[in-house]
Amino acid sequence: MTQTRQAAPMILMEGVEKWYGQFKALTDINLEVNSGEKIVLCGPSGSGKSTLIRCINHLEPIQKGRIVVDGVTLGHDTKSIDAVRRGAGMVFQQFNLFPHMTVLENCTLSPLRTRGLKKDAADALARKFLARVQILDQAEKYPAQLSGGQQQRVAIARALCMEPKVMLFDEPTSALDPEMVKEVLDTMVELARDGMTMIVVTHEMGFARQVADRVIFMASGQIVEEEPPEQFFQAPKHERTRKFLGEILRQH
Amino acid sequence: MAYKFDFGAIWEAMPQLLAAGLGTLGLAVAGSLLAIVIGIGGVVLRDSRLAPARWLVMSFVELIRNTPFLVQIYFIFFALPLLGAQLGQLLAGLGLIARPTNYLLIGPWPTAVIALGLNGGAYAIEIIRGGVQAVPKGQWEAGAALGLHRATVFRLIVLKPALRAIYPSLTSQFTLLTLTTSIAGAIAAYELFSEAKFIDSQIYKPFEVYFTITVFYFVISWFMNQLFQAFARRYFSYPTK
Ligand SMILES: Nc1ncnc2c1ncn2[C@@H]1O[C@H](COP(=O)(O)OP(=O)(O)O)[C@@H](O)[C@H]1O
Ligand SMILES: [Mg+2]
């Protein structure tokens, strides 16, 4: 643990262990993410990337270690879980928009229910973020009427409507047709420019080069390597990282 | 002597049959409403984290599905009030109520509604539960990630798509409930079939009487179906892929 940082990290994971029954999905995860930092998390399928970010907002409970988000230590109590979740936006691979609500209703749900905003204020907030992801003109439509790329941008806007301190992305472009990947990545790049703290699980290495402060490589539930993108791509230290990068770059 | 068809006799009994038809329709509507409430509430408890609640709902469903409706409605009408009388004595004895009151002694028509609601509700629990399980896990997770509690996620995010997925099965179940009202006459609840039997016993025109109520049942059932479809069109009219 470095003692030189002045401010407390936005996200702190300390000795985190996660089990699914008898299966150990995360082993001794130690991670610090400072306010405004952008982390790209990559690794082979099944290495525990989703599990790691889902532990941060307690979609998965951990069995050992400690997670602190914006000063709140995650326990199993509703109070700490609520506080952490309300400060962390999450974007899923499959969008997970609510099919029976319009785009606008998807976005206003959390502000109305968790922050007690009045309808007018929630609408205004939603419209602001829908404009920011350039999809305001679709506000009255239902998710099924939008393309995959549009849906994912709505999902980003929906998370932003919580005005979170941190954004967690779990392979946000993996379910998209290739021609729609760019519009979503562009939205995320812009968000990064605005100074959002982000953890992004992705295999989009171009995105990693462009916005990541650090790239983390995971394998078998462990963090294998953690470097700024230049080092990570040019001089990976570990054999498994080299092998993984070789496979990824061959695909793209 | 050959049977003489005479629909004129039915014509005179028509006001009685129409009134009894309304009784049947009322049982069907009230019973269905109660069944939906029990169905949704039952699913919440059935999948709750409270083991006793889960156990209670599972036992209730099994009990209802493995016993005849006629026995159920008799039990509620004739057996439960005996328990209610004891309970009333007990509560009065403890000074909790002023004088012994039998809360389980209720009239035939409300009893029929309760019996139909419990019976239809037990089947509705299983059907609605299927719908809830058809909703992707990602919907629950997205709701949780937005900071909503489990109950809110169920009510606002999961319930509507769940009902949409199974409403054709639910509709058939409520058609069945509508037709089951014909058993409620067994406890002297005011409804079409028992009224028809009474009229037939007076005018001895079984063909005309039962032909007429066959038409009535068909119309009532059809009407209930339309009601359900209209509701579904209004409530589930969001586009899907
Ligand atoms: N709900 C679960 N129950 C049991 N095992 C799970 C569950 N979720 C994930 N796993 C297992 O945990 C490991 C890590 O999964 P995951 O975090 O989804 O990996 P990644 O996102 O890197 O592909 C995998 O072996 C996966 O099979
Ligand atoms: Mg994953």
Side-chain angles (χ1 to χ4, degrees):
Chain A
M1 220 95 318
T2 42
Q3 297 295 310
T4 49
R5 301 198 199 287
Q6 302 98 344
M10 182 62 81
I11 299 173
L12 173 71
M13 297 178 87
E14 235 174 41
V16 168
E17 222 168 74
K18 163 74 194 173
W19 296 76
Y20 291 112
Q22 299 295 307
F23 177 77
K24 196 176 188 184
L26 293 180
T27 305
D28 193 29
I29 299 291
N30 294 287
L31 175 67
E32 270 186 46
V33 182
N34 289 309
S35 181
E37 254 194 312
K38 294 106 187 67
I39 307 292
V40 161
L41 195 56
C42 62
S45 171
S47 58
K49 308 178 296 292
S50 299
T51 303
L52 191 154
I53 66 167
R54 290 158 59 86
C55 287
I56 294 173
N57 65 353
H58 203 271
L59 284 186
E60 297 291 352
I62 61 172
Q63 279 72 40
K64 225 177 119 183
R66 200 160 75 98
I67 297 179
V68 186
V69 182
D70 196 22
V72 180
T73 303
L74 254 184
H76 295 298
D77 58 305
T78 326
K79 203 165 157 257
S80 72
I81 295 171
D82 281 351
V84 165
R85 284 184 180 164
R86 285 165 195 183
M90 184 172 246
V91 176
F92 302 84
Q93 183 173 349
Q94 301 296 340
F95 328 138
N96 296 349
L97 293 178
F98 309 130
H100 56 300
M101 299 182 194
T102 63
V103 163
L104 192 69
E105 288 165 348
N106 265 274
C107 291
T108 55
L109 182 63
S110 182
L112 288 171
R113 295 286 161 176
T114 69
R115 297 169 56 194
L117 257 61
K118 292 276 175 289
K119 190 167 181 316
D120 288 348
D123 279 358
L125 186 74
R127 287 183 193 282
K128 179 177 107 183
F129 286 113
L130 286 170
R132 192 152 147 202
V133 303
Q134 295 177 21
I135 203 149
L136 183 55
D137 52 330
Q138 313 285 340
E140 311 305 328
K141 287 199 180 160
Y142 286 87
Q145 296 169 315
L146 305 183
S147 73
Q150 291 174 319
Q151 288 190 53
Q152 195 59 301
R153 284 186 284 139
V154 171
I156 293 173
R158 179 176 73 179
L160 289 175
C161 283
M162 303 166 75
E163 300 189 287
K165 294 282 183 57
V166 186
M167 284 285 283
L168 308 169
F169 292 84
D170 193 358
E171 303 207 33
T173 58
S174 298
L176 296 175
D177 292 334
E179 71 271 18
M180 293 169 187
V181 169
K182 189 171 176 300
E183 65 185 68
V184 171
L185 288 180
D186 286 349
T187 305
M188 291 165 61
V189 169
E190 204 170 299
L191 195 59
R193 281 211 195 100
D194 292 344
M196 178 61 79
T197 309
M198 294 163 71
I199 300 184
V200 183
V201 176
T202 185
H203 291 161
E204 293 291 338
M205 292 301 142
F207 175 82
R209 275 180 216 274
Q210 196 181 346
V211 309
D213 296 305
R214 273 181 290 157
V215 181
I216 295 178
F217 174 71
M218 281 183 80
S220 316
Q222 284 176 294
I223 293 180
V224 174
E225 190 154 352
E226 185 176 342
E227 305 277 5
E230 308 82 55
Q231 271 112 301
F232 185 84
F233 291 111
Q234 274 144 39
K237 290 200 187 80
H238 290 263
E239 175 55 32
R240 290 190 78 167
T241 318
R242 280 194 285 275
K243 192 159 159 280
F244 172 76
L245 282 173
E247 278 162 19
I248 284 288
L249 297 175
R250 210 172 311 129
Q251 282 166 20
H252 283 255
Chain B
M1 204 171 66
Y3 185 81
K4 259 190 77 201
F5 292 99
D6 175 16
F7 278 90
I10 281 295
W11 193 243
E12 277 164 40
M14 204 49 101
Q16 282 154 275
L17 284 175
L18 280 172
L22 282 181
T24 287
L25 187 64
L27 283 178
V29 171
S32 295
L33 283 175
L34 183 58
I36 289 180
V37 172
I38 290 173
I40 293 172
V43 168
V44 171
L45 294 178
R46 172 70 178 76
D47 293 332
S48 80
R49 290 182 187 142
L50 283 173
R54 288 201 301 269
W55 185 85
L56 192 77
V57 174
M58 282 193 281
S59 313
F60 165 72
V61 170
E62 288 307 313
L63 182 68
I64 294 289
R65 297 213 301 182
N66 291 291
T67 51
F69 179 70
L70 190 56
V71 173
Q72 292 163 14
I73 199 169
Y74 262 57
F75 189 84
I76 296 170
F77 191 65
F78 294 112
L80 282 188
L82 300 175
L83 217 63
Q86 303 271 328
L87 192 72
Q89 294 282 356
L90 189 73
L91 291 178
L94 292 171
L96 293 171
I97 49 178
R99 73 180 86 95
T101 313
N102 191 341
Y103 293 109
L104 299 181
L105 183 65
I106 43 179
W109 206 83
T111 299
V113 170
I114 289 168
L116 287 163
L118 287 172
N119 185 274
Y123 288 93
I125 287 172
E126 291 300 286
I127 295 171
I128 295 171
R129 194 156 170 261
V132 170
Q133 283 166 350
V135 172
K137 225 174 115 241
Q139 296 283 304
W140 289 93
E141 291 175 349
L146 287 172
L148 304 173
H149 293 159
R150 217 176 121 80
T152 313
V153 174
F154 178 79
R155 192 163 52 86
L156 299 178
I157 297 173
V158 173
L159 188 57
K160 195 186 264 201
L163 290 176
R164 178 182 166 126
I166 48 82
Y167 89 82
S169 319
L170 211 53
T171 306
S172 344
Q173 192 59 48
F174 288 131
T175 301
L176 205 60
L177 186 149
T178 301
L179 302 179
T180 306
T181 58
S182 61
I183 298 177
I187 57 162
Y190 185 57
E191 54 81 42
L192 190 55
F193 179 64
S194 50
E195 187 68 13
K197 272 200 303 191
F198 174 71
I199 291 168
D200 178 41
S201 73
Q202 307 242 297
I203 63 175
Y204 310 109
K205 288 288 169 207
F207 183 88
E208 292 82 344
V209 169
Y210 295 115
F211 179 85
T212 306
I213 69 161
T214 299
V215 173
F216 273 35
Y217 273 115
F218 187 87
V219 171
I220 291 168
S221 179
W222 179 86
F223 174 79
M224 287 295 288
N225 228 296
Q226 294 302 306
L227 208 65
F228 252 79
Q229 307 238 340
F231 177 77
R233 267 195 302 276
R234 248 192 91 73
Y235 187 68
F236 302 129
S237 63
Y238 62 90
T240 49
K241 254 181 275 194

